[in-house]
Amino acid sequence: MAEFAASDLVAGLEENLFSLLEKQAAELDASQLPLIDLSSGSPRQPTPPAVIASLQAAAARPENHEYPSFWGKPALRQAIADFYQRHYGVMLDPDTEVALFQGAHIGVNGFPRALLNPGQVLISTDPCYPIYRSAARQAGADFYGIPLEARNAFLPDFTQVPDEITARAGLVMLNYPHNPTGALATPALFADALAFARQHPIPLIHDFAYATLGSEPDEQPLSLLAQPDGKEWGVEIYTLSKSALMAGWRVGFAVGNASIITAFKKLHTHSYSTVSGAVQDAAITALSLSAEQLNRLADPYHQRRRVVLARLAAMHWPVRARQGTFFLWLPAPPGFTGEEFASLLLRECHLLVAPGHGFGPAGRDYIRISLTASTEQLLQALDRIDGLKLINERRRS
């Protein structure tokens, strides 16, 4: 069979961190000790029954068997606008300030392509969700990550951006609650980011994937669009994957600055397909869920976080308690990089975790674990780690 080389663009892309982890898991002999996967970013709880029932009813409607509009159903765009007004006090025009797409990944990848020119720079954070780096490359742009440090609560300092980077800046992309560090946005962070955007001037994209997952059950993470001038300079990407437990349904949307939304919509008509009409109807039901209902869907993660943090404290494993998302960002034991520790855990404990370097150089000494695993699995995993005697002994010495 003939063998052909990939394009320079594809050849230059880094290997997807999560596909590599999936491959590692598939290659492991787990016949003696079952694998516990703590790398997953996919919710494992069932989708709310009302959303499922809505899909089942919508699947029988003849209009949902046809190609959907690129723009999404007017009823869904209105539901998105109503959702943002109800939860964040933000007024949106459903025709010009809302874009619908198949999952947030499309938005994360598409907005840089819609906004950046070759030679410009996408500014984000280090560490960050790895797709931000590949999105910049696919746009022909460079990537710069503002180093995040624990002493600054993993929030970026825009004064650290070198002049040669700001001179080529074309886009800022943030993500809070932050994957992988769990850091939570503050009003000061968004004020600084918007000031930076105004100064240069460049658009600001906020990936709000973990919008319902603060560090405490009653804590609502901050929306960029709810900040002064947020909608004037920015767009927020939202997904129902986490908030409504619809990861496999692939429903994402973006809201905000009309010119940014228009640019993306044009790209969308050339590059991506549309969301099933039946799934759109179900999304309307999901967006009608109350804040109380959404909070209940997030409760298992808060319960697991409390249990895991208590166990980590008993192991003398230092970790920041205030973390959002359904991940925990943990420092590797002294003497290990995150990659070395992750390899040890897979080999000796049959635990799959995400090594921090996969999110950027600043994550070198960390690992990320997921709270999507059950409480029982999480405690079993920590028991296996404790059995290595790496944390207690090294902390006490």
Coordinates of all heavy atoms in Angstrom, one line a residue, residues 151-202:
R151 N 1.9 30.8 43.7 CA 1.9 32.0 44.6 C 1.0 33.1 44.1 O 0.6 34.0 44.9 CB 3.3 32.5 44.7 CG 4.0 33.0 43.5 CD 5.4 33.4 43.7 NE 6.1 33.9 42.5 CZ 6.1 35.1 42.1 NH1 5.5 36.1 42.8 NH2 6.7 35.5 41.0
N152 N 0.6 33.1 42.8 CA -0.4 34.0 42.3 C -1.7 33.4 42.0 O -2.5 33.9 41.3 CB 0.2 34.6 40.9 CG 1.3 35.5 41.1 OD1 1.5 36.1 42.2 ND2 2.2 35.6 40.1
A153 N -2.0 32.3 42.7 CA -3.2 31.5 42.6 C -3.5 31.1 41.2 O -4.7 31.0 40.8 CB -4.4 32.4 43.2
F154 N -2.5 30.9 40.4 CA -2.5 30.5 39.0 C -3.4 31.4 38.1 O -4.1 31.0 37.2 CB -3.1 29.0 38.9 CG -2.2 28.0 39.5 CD1 -2.4 27.4 40.7 CD2 -1.0 27.7 38.9 CE1 -1.6 26.5 41.3 CE2 -0.1 26.7 39.4 CZ -0.4 26.1 40.6
L155 N -3.2 32.7 38.4 CA -3.9 33.7 37.6 C -2.8 34.5 36.8 O -1.7 34.7 37.3 CB -4.6 34.7 38.5 CG -5.8 34.2 39.3 CD1 -6.4 35.2 40.2 CD2 -6.8 33.5 38.4
P156 N -3.0 34.8 35.5 CA -2.0 35.4 34.7 C -1.7 36.9 35.1 O -2.7 37.6 35.4 CB -2.6 35.3 33.3 CG -4.1 35.3 33.5 CD -4.3 34.6 34.8
D157 N -0.5 37.3 34.9 CA -0.1 38.6 35.1 C 0.3 39.2 33.7 O 1.3 38.8 33.1 CB 1.1 38.7 36.0 CG 1.7 40.1 36.2 OD1 1.1 41.1 35.6 OD2 2.7 40.3 37.0
F158 N -0.6 40.0 33.2 CA -0.4 40.5 31.8 C 0.8 41.5 31.7 O 1.2 41.7 30.5 CB -1.7 41.2 31.3 CG -2.8 40.2 31.1 CD1 -3.7 39.9 32.1 CD2 -3.0 39.6 29.8 CE1 -4.8 39.0 31.8 CE2 -4.0 38.7 29.6 CZ -4.9 38.4 30.6
T159 N 1.3 42.0 32.8 CA 2.5 42.8 32.7 C 3.7 42.0 32.3 O 4.8 42.5 32.0 CB 2.7 43.6 34.0 OG1 3.0 42.6 35.1 CG2 1.5 44.4 34.4
Q160 N 3.6 40.6 32.5 CA 4.7 39.7 32.1 C 4.9 39.5 30.6 O 5.9 38.9 30.2 CB 4.6 38.4 32.8 CG 4.7 38.4 34.3 CD 4.7 37.0 34.9 OE1 4.9 36.0 34.2 NE2 4.5 36.9 36.2
V161 N 3.9 39.9 29.8 CA 3.9 39.6 28.4 C 5.0 40.4 27.8 O 4.9 41.7 27.9 CB 2.6 39.8 27.8 CG1 2.6 39.5 26.3 CG2 1.5 39.0 28.4
P162 N 6.0 39.9 27.1 CA 7.1 40.6 26.5 C 6.5 41.6 25.4 O 5.5 41.3 24.8 CB 8.0 39.6 25.9 CG 7.6 38.3 26.6 CD 6.2 38.4 27.0
D163 N 7.3 42.7 25.2 CA 6.8 43.7 24.3 C 6.8 43.1 22.9 O 5.9 43.5 22.1 CB 7.8 44.9 24.3 CG 7.7 45.7 25.5 OD1 6.7 45.6 26.2 OD2 8.6 46.5 25.8
E164 N 7.7 42.2 22.5 CA 7.7 41.6 21.2 C 6.5 40.7 20.9 O 6.1 40.5 19.8 CB 9.0 40.9 20.9 CG 9.3 39.7 21.8 CD 10.1 40.1 23.1 OE1 10.1 41.2 23.5 OE2 10.7 39.1 23.6
I165 N 5.9 40.2 22.0 CA 4.7 39.4 21.9 C 3.5 40.3 21.8 O 2.6 40.1 20.9 CB 4.5 38.5 23.1 CG1 5.7 37.5 23.1 CG2 3.2 37.8 23.0 CD1 5.8 36.6 22.0
T166 N 3.4 41.4 22.6 CA 2.3 42.3 22.5 C 2.2 43.0 21.2 O 1.1 43.3 20.7 CB 2.3 43.3 23.7 OG1 3.5 44.1 23.6 CG2 2.2 42.7 25.0
A167 N 3.4 43.2 20.6 CA 3.4 43.9 19.3 C 2.7 43.0 18.2 O 2.2 43.5 17.2 CB 4.8 44.2 18.9
R168 N 2.7 41.7 18.4 CA 2.1 40.8 17.4 C 0.8 40.1 17.9 O 0.3 39.2 17.3 CB 3.1 39.7 17.0 CG 4.3 40.2 16.3 CD 5.1 39.0 15.7 NE 5.7 38.1 16.7 CZ 5.5 36.8 16.8 NH1 4.8 36.2 15.9 NH2 6.1 36.1 17.7
A169 N 0.3 40.6 19.1 CA -0.8 40.0 19.7 C -2.1 40.1 18.8 O -2.4 41.2 18.3 CB -1.1 40.6 21.0
G170 N -2.8 39.0 18.6 CA -4.0 39.0 17.8 C -5.2 38.5 18.6 O -6.4 38.8 18.1
L171 N -5.0 37.9 19.7 CA -6.1 37.3 20.4 C -5.7 36.8 21.8 O -4.5 36.3 22.0 CB -6.6 36.0 19.7 CG -7.7 35.2 20.3 CD1 -9.0 36.0 20.5 CD2 -8.0 33.9 19.5
V172 N -6.5 37.0 22.8 CA -6.3 36.5 24.1 C -7.4 35.4 24.4 O -8.5 35.7 24.1 CB -6.4 37.6 25.2 CG1 -6.3 36.9 26.6 CG2 -5.2 38.6 25.1
M173 N -6.9 34.3 24.9 CA -7.9 33.2 25.2 C -7.6 32.7 26.6 O -6.6 32.3 27.0 CB -7.7 32.0 24.2 CG -8.7 30.9 24.5 SD -8.7 29.6 23.2 CE -9.6 30.4 21.9
L174 N -8.7 32.9 27.4 CA -8.6 32.5 28.8 C -9.6 31.3 29.1 O -10.5 31.1 28.3 CB -8.9 33.6 29.8 CG -8.0 34.8 29.7 CD1 -8.4 35.9 30.6 CD2 -6.5 34.4 30.0
N175 N -9.5 30.7 30.3 CA -10.3 29.6 30.6 C -10.4 29.5 32.2 O -9.5 28.9 32.8 CB -9.8 28.3 30.0 CG -10.2 27.0 30.7 OD1 -9.4 26.1 31.0 ND2 -11.5 26.9 30.9
Y176 N -11.5 30.1 32.7 CA -11.6 30.0 34.2 C -13.1 29.7 34.5 O -14.0 30.3 33.9 CB -11.2 31.3 34.8 CG -9.7 31.5 34.8 CD1 -9.0 32.0 33.7 CD2 -9.0 31.0 35.9 CE1 -7.6 32.1 33.7 CE2 -7.6 31.1 35.9 CZ -6.9 31.7 34.8 OH -5.5 31.7 34.8
P177 N -13.3 28.8 35.4 CA -12.4 27.9 36.2 C -11.4 27.2 35.2 O -11.8 26.7 34.2 CB -13.3 26.9 36.9 CG -14.6 27.7 37.1 CD -14.8 28.5 35.8
H178 N -10.2 27.2 35.7 CA -9.1 26.9 34.8 C -8.8 25.4 34.8 O -8.6 24.7 35.8 CB -7.8 27.6 35.3 CG -6.7 27.5 34.4 ND1 -5.6 26.7 34.7 CD2 -6.4 28.1 33.2 CE1 -4.7 26.9 33.7 NE2 -5.2 27.7 32.8
N179 N -8.7 24.9 33.6 CA -8.2 23.5 33.3 C -6.7 23.7 32.8 O -6.5 24.3 31.8 CB -9.0 22.9 32.2 CG -8.6 21.5 31.9 OD1 -7.8 20.9 32.5 ND2 -9.1 21.0 30.7
P180 N -5.7 23.2 33.6 CA -5.8 22.1 34.6 C -5.7 22.5 36.0 O -5.9 21.7 36.9 CB -4.6 21.2 34.2 CG -3.6 22.2 33.9 CD -4.3 23.3 33.1
T181 N -5.4 23.8 36.4 CA -5.0 24.1 37.7 C -6.2 24.3 38.7 O -6.0 24.4 39.9 CB -4.2 25.4 37.7 OG1 -5.1 26.6 37.4 CG2 -3.1 25.4 36.8
G182 N -7.4 24.4 38.2 CA -8.6 24.6 39.0 C -8.8 26.0 39.5 O -9.7 26.3 40.3
A183 N -7.9 27.0 39.1 CA -8.0 28.3 39.5 C -9.3 29.0 39.1 O -9.9 28.6 38.1 CB -6.8 29.2 39.0
L184 N -9.7 29.9 40.0 CA -11.0 30.6 39.7 C -10.8 32.0 39.4 O -9.9 32.7 40.0 CB -11.9 30.5 41.0 CG -12.3 29.0 41.3 CD1 -12.7 28.9 42.8 CD2 -13.4 28.6 40.4
A185 N -11.5 32.6 38.4 CA -11.4 34.0 38.0 C -11.8 34.9 39.1 O -12.7 34.6 40.0 CB -12.2 34.2 36.8
T186 N -11.2 36.1 39.2 CA -11.6 37.2 40.0 C -12.1 38.3 39.2 O -11.7 38.4 38.0 CB -10.5 37.6 40.9 OG1 -9.4 38.1 40.1 CG2 -10.0 36.4 41.8
P187 N -12.8 39.3 39.7 CA -13.1 40.5 39.0 C -11.9 41.2 38.5 O -11.8 41.7 37.4 CB -13.9 41.3 39.9 CG -14.6 40.4 40.9 CD -13.6 39.3 41.0
A188 N -10.8 41.2 39.3 CA -9.5 41.8 38.9 C -8.9 41.2 37.7 O -8.3 41.8 36.9 CB -8.6 41.8 40.1
L189 N -9.0 39.8 37.6 CA -8.4 39.1 36.5 C -9.1 39.6 35.2 O -8.4 40.0 34.2 CB -8.6 37.6 36.6 CG -8.4 36.8 35.3 CD1 -7.0 37.0 34.8 CD2 -8.8 35.4 35.5
F190 N -10.4 39.6 35.2 CA -11.1 40.0 34.0 C -10.9 41.5 33.7 O -10.8 41.9 32.5 CB -12.6 39.7 34.1 CG -12.9 38.2 33.9 CD1 -13.9 37.6 34.7 CD2 -12.3 37.4 33.0 CE1 -14.2 36.2 34.5 CE2 -12.6 36.1 32.8 CZ -13.5 35.5 33.5
A191 N -10.8 42.3 34.7 CA -10.6 43.7 34.5 C -9.2 43.9 33.8 O -9.1 44.7 32.9 CB -10.6 44.5 35.8
D192 N -8.2 43.2 34.3 CA -6.9 43.3 33.7 C -6.9 42.7 32.3 O -6.2 43.3 31.4 CB -5.9 42.4 34.5 CG -5.5 43.1 35.9 OD1 -5.9 44.3 36.1 OD2 -5.0 42.4 36.7
A193 N -7.6 41.6 32.0 CA -7.6 41.1 30.7 C -8.3 42.0 29.7 O -7.9 42.2 28.6 CB -8.3 39.7 30.7
L194 N -9.4 42.6 30.2 CA -10.1 43.6 29.3 C -9.3 44.8 29.1 O -9.3 45.4 28.0 CB -11.5 43.9 29.9 CG -12.5 42.8 29.8 CD1 -13.7 43.0 30.8 CD2 -13.0 42.6 28.4
A195 N -8.6 45.3 30.1 CA -7.7 46.4 29.9 C -6.6 46.1 28.9 O -6.3 47.0 28.0 CB -7.1 46.8 31.2
F196 N -6.1 44.9 28.9 CA -5.0 44.5 28.0 C -5.6 44.4 26.5 O -5.0 44.9 25.6 CB -4.5 43.1 28.4 CG -3.4 42.6 27.5 CD1 -2.1 43.0 27.8 CD2 -3.6 41.8 26.5 CE1 -1.0 42.5 27.1 CE2 -2.5 41.3 25.7 CZ -1.2 41.7 26.0
A197 N -6.9 43.9 26.4 CA -7.5 43.9 25.1 C -7.8 45.3 24.6 O -7.6 45.5 23.4 CB -8.9 43.1 25.3
R198 N -8.2 46.2 25.4 CA -8.5 47.5 25.0 C -7.2 48.2 24.5 O -7.1 49.0 23.6 CB -9.1 48.4 26.1 CG -10.6 48.1 26.3 CD -11.2 49.1 27.2 NE -10.7 49.1 28.5 CZ -11.2 48.3 29.5 NH1 -12.2 47.6 29.3 NH2 -10.6 48.3 30.7
Q199 N -6.1 48.0 25.3 CA -4.8 48.7 25.0 C -4.3 48.3 23.6 O -3.7 49.2 23.0 CB -3.8 48.3 26.1 CG -2.5 49.0 25.9 CD -1.5 48.5 27.0 OE1 -1.8 47.8 27.9 NE2 -0.2 49.0 26.9
H200 N -4.5 47.1 23.1 CA -3.7 46.7 22.0 C -4.3 46.9 20.6 O -3.4 47.1 19.7 CB -3.3 45.2 22.2 CG -2.2 45.2 23.3 ND1 -1.0 45.8 23.1 CD2 -2.3 44.8 24.6 CE1 -0.3 45.6 24.3 NE2 -1.1 45.1 25.2
P201 N -5.5 47.0 20.2 CA -6.7 46.4 20.8 C -6.9 45.0 20.1 O -6.6 44.9 18.9 CB -7.8 47.3 20.4 CG -7.3 48.0 19.2 CD -5.8 48.0 19.2
I202 N -7.3 44.0 20.9 CA -7.5 42.7 20.4 C -8.7 42.0 21.0 O -9.1 42.4 22.1 CB -6.3 41.8 20.6 CG1 -5.9 41.8 22.1 CG2 -5.1 42.2 19.7 CD1 -4.7 40.9 22.5

